[in-house]
Amino acid sequence: MQSPAVADQDFFVRFCAEWRQRVDQALAQRTAYGPDCPDRLREAIRHSLLAPAKRLRPLLVLLACQACGGDPQRALPAACAVEMVHTYSLIHDDLPAMDDDDLRRGRPSCHAQFGEATAILAGDALLAQAFEVLATEIAPPELAAACCGELAQAAGACNLVGGQQDDLAAQFATPDLAALERIHRRKTGAMLCVSVRLGGRIGGATPSQLAGLTSYGQHIGLAFQIVDDLLDLEGQVEAMGKRVGKDAQKGKLTFPAVMGVEASRRRASELVAAAEAVLEGAGLDSAGLVQLARFIVKRST
Ligand code: GRG
């Protein structure tokens, strides 16, 4: 007989394999577009959105829905919506005016392939479409409105965009852990956190389950960023599908720069342990979310 730990891992591996494929298919269907979408714009959107990616945010939506006893299929539109917002943010982040990166998801970044103007428009289109998908495909309408409101807040001036603004301003700044955490709670954490919250809402989470999912999302959000900083320092460009070593080059404020590599690793592991502990007390079927949190610290891409 399988031990519970192996069974949980098996469940997670099968869930990810099956749902990554369904997410990829759903994203491809939703970006086929009619003749009013210019071919070049369609190509640019699909070049970035359908490139090989981990699909972490969609998986968080689907696993959170399942953890609350909901059918992940009902949450698939929300999984697509968060991936659309995430991909828009990557396209815009890669622009010369921002992080200026020519490689993303193992492909030339959107502007490197299609030019800056088309890349800006591809990001704009994805951001708008995310809300169209939620508004038209999530039911009932009150739930759709709540999901739109939450995603807008996570993507807006006080979260994703605000965090990005402060991150851009923080180059060569004096190392300060509180300031660094404040940037990444908004720039990276908010999108991971809203992913579990949307899944929870669609899965019918109780208020205490939603509170547990929120705290889980906040913990893994920070852990994810710490690991991202470590991978920028130590990862391989081939595995990552993006340039590495850029943080140091650009004088970015990062966790390894502020705390050191070993302390950063320890902090990421502590955050994942805290995320697991939160789930234990929240009355959720949380095996998948626990495995995903562990994957976040173990990942090499
Ligand atoms: C332009 C509004 C705006 C925001 C940009 C996404 C972002 C904010 C910056 C990207 C740079 C960066 C290293 C962000 C932190 C972590 C992050 C979002 C990494 C990329 O996400 P993954 O690893 O990538 O989930 P895939 O390609 O697998 O989806």
Side-chain angles (χ1 to χ4, degrees):
M1 231 202 30
Q2 257 188 352
S3 73
V6 173
D8 285 356
Q9 241 176 357
D10 266 13
F11 162 75
F12 178 66
V13 170
R14 274 186 283 108
F15 189 97
C16 291
E18 177 188 338
W19 284 97
R20 269 200 189 106
Q21 221 174 29
R22 292 201 201 186
V23 167
D24 286 348
Q25 238 169 37
L27 290 170
Q29 279 165 0
R30 283 162 182 75
T31 52
Y33 305 123
D36 281 346
C37 175
D39 290 342
R40 189 173 176 78
L41 180 62
R42 181 189 301 106
E43 267 177 56
I45 291 170
R46 290 168 68 92
H47 168 90
S48 294
L49 185 70
L50 306 182
K54 297 184 288 297
R55 307 296 187 213
L56 274 185
R57 294 150 194 83
L59 287 170
L60 282 169
V61 173
L62 300 163
L63 283 167
C65 177
Q66 177 270 334
C68 298
D71 175 2
Q73 186 63 34
R74 275 195 67 214
L76 190 57
C80 291
V82 295
E83 189 64 17
M84 286 171 174
V85 173
H86 170 58
T87 303
Y88 126 78
S89 78
L90 297 177
I91 295 173
H92 282 199
D93 184 67
D94 288 338
L95 289 167
M98 300 239 183
D99 212 31
D100 193 8
D101 249 306
D102 62 356
L103 186 67
R104 173 69 65 181
R105 294 178 162 173
R107 298 181 172 180
S109 51
C110 197
H111 71 273
Q113 182 82 15
F114 296 94
E116 277 183 58
T118 301
I120 292 169
L121 294 172
D124 293 343
L126 282 170
L127 180 60
Q129 192 177 358
F131 295 97
E132 179 191 349
V133 167
L134 287 177
T136 58
E137 298 186 42
I138 297 292
E142 302 73 39
L143 181 59
C147 289
C148 283
E150 286 219 16
L151 185 57
Q153 197 174 42
C158 295
N159 282 300
L160 174 65
V161 171
Q164 174 78 350
Q165 173 82 49
D166 281 350
D167 192 38
L168 291 171
Q171 285 181 23
F172 301 105
T174 316
D176 172 348
L177 189 58
L180 184 60
E181 289 199 3
R182 187 166 172 269
I183 289 172
H184 292 302
R185 183 168 43 77
R186 291 170 293 151
K187 179 181 139 183
T188 310
M191 282 300 295
L192 291 165
C193 194
V194 78
S195 300
V196 281
R197 283 186 59 87
L198 296 192
R201 276 184 177 277
I202 296 165
T206 62
S208 74
Q209 286 176 329
L210 202 56
L213 288 172
T214 306
S215 176
Y216 165 88
Q218 289 164 344
H219 284 100
I220 61 156
L222 202 52
F224 177 88
Q225 182 62 48
I226 295 174
V227 173
D228 209 74
D229 286 355
L230 287 166
L231 286 171
D232 186 74
L233 202 64
E234 300 172 331
Q236 302 299 316
V237 67
E238 296 79 16
M240 302 284 290
K242 63 178 182 183
R243 303 271 171 230
V244 293
K246 288 206 65 180
D247 292 343
Q249 214 181 64
K250 292 201 143 197
K252 281 257 176 101
L253 211 53
T254 66
F255 287 93
V258 173
M259 310 170 73
V261 168
E262 280 317 310
S264 300
R265 274 208 193 98
R266 266 199 311 279
R267 177 99 171 97
S269 296
E270 285 162 9
L271 283 161
V272 166
E276 288 182 31
V278 162
L279 292 176
E280 253 173 51
L284 293 155
D285 174 9
S286 56
L289 291 173
V290 166
Q291 294 297 319
L292 193 126
R294 291 180 190 172
F295 168 75
I296 281 176
V297 280
K298 279 191 299 203
R299 75 198 172 99
S300 59
T301 66

